[in-house]
Amino acid sequence: MSKRCEVRCLRQKTQAQVPFWVSYLPAGWRERYILRHRPYVVTEEGEQISISLQTDGNSCYLPVWREAAQQALQEAKASGAVIAVSPLAADLPQDILPFADGRRLTALFAGEGVAEALRRMGKDPHACRLVVADGNGAQAVLATLPENINHLGVWTDRAEEFMVWQEEMLEERGLVTEVFASLGHAAFRSADAVISCAKDGKGMVYAFAKQAFCLDLGANCGLLHNLTQQRQDVQMADGLCFSIEQGHMLAADAEAWAYCKIEAFRTCFHNWTPQTAKEAKAALIAAGVRPVGLQLFGKRCKIRKIAG
């Protein structure tokens, strides 16, 4: 049985799980005891393995705690874990287990997520204009967009690589698409929504149409921060929430579940191509997976209805 692993540090005001007498030791002695005898606590329930590093968020990035995390991940892998989820993922060893961040699963349902955001904003998704900003995985995103999109463009500096895609969209869907390199292009300036796979794209901040929506798939924290500070009219998300097995999960947890349960998604996770993306999405839909909300910075976010 494939299991998923969650790694966290102690929350504020949460005490380490140690013998009561350890709490009376001086702080330095107490930390040395914890590191030597119980640097982490592992619990297992069904298909979930939980690892709690016995330190707070300020210390978990230190080398000694990275070593403890490495040991804990190896223990989880030996117990059957095949994927991990953690808000600390960027600072944890990446060579033991793959980490789910939710971006791949969100990318497969990006079109549906954008449509839901536009509906909540009071717009008709079928009449709206969508642009995909090129970046890692953009072609897989385009391959899995739903067929009810009527206005679609791609912002890219490698237009020649999208020529075949443009021909296929015209032949299969009768949809004329625009591929352009300038943020000043009318297709971008008038877009109701942008799915961004770009790692950079700071210039996009001022190019967004008024009261547009942005779904960031490129982990572009700079873009999101600048939008928050400079474009309060533009609403945004960096992930989706999913309905899975009669419950709701945030993107990273849902991605870890899908990795364990859906073979086609596991294949897609390690070989991200338009074809594997299509197959993974079909398998996920057959398993009852569907997006039910949006998230930003690891929490569910509310999309405001546009006034007037």
Side-chain angles (χ1 to χ4, degrees), residues 188-268:
F188 197 100
R189 293 284 184 172
S190 63
D192 298 279
V194 174
I195 298 173
S196 176
C197 301
K199 282 287 187 182
D200 187 14
K202 293 180 181 179
M204 283 193 285
V205 174
Y206 296 106
F208 280 103
K210 187 177 180 181
Q211 296 181 327
F213 173 77
C214 174
L215 177 61
D216 172 47
L217 300 179
N220 194 339
C221 295
L223 172 64
L224 297 177
H225 175 75
N226 289 337
L227 286 174
T228 301
Q229 297 295 317
Q230 302 165 23
R231 290 295 305 271
Q232 286 81 11
D233 62 300
V234 176
Q235 300 191 63
M236 55 191 166
D238 61 5
L240 302 177
C241 307
F242 292 87
S243 173
I244 293 177
E245 292 186 337
Q246 300 180 344
H248 291 178
M249 294 185 185
L250 293 176
D253 293 322
E255 186 171 281
W257 177 93
Y259 186 95
C260 293
K261 296 287 189 178
I262 310 296
E263 183 63 34
F265 180 75
R266 189 184 297 197
T267 300
C268 174

Side-chain angles (χ1 to χ4, degrees), residues 9-26:
C9 58
L10 294 177
R11 297 175 181 175
Q12 286 186 344
K13 299 182 180 180
T14 302
Q15 299 295 320
Q17 298 181 36
V18 293
F20 76 94
W21 57 266
V22 176
S23 61
Y24 294 102
L25 294 175

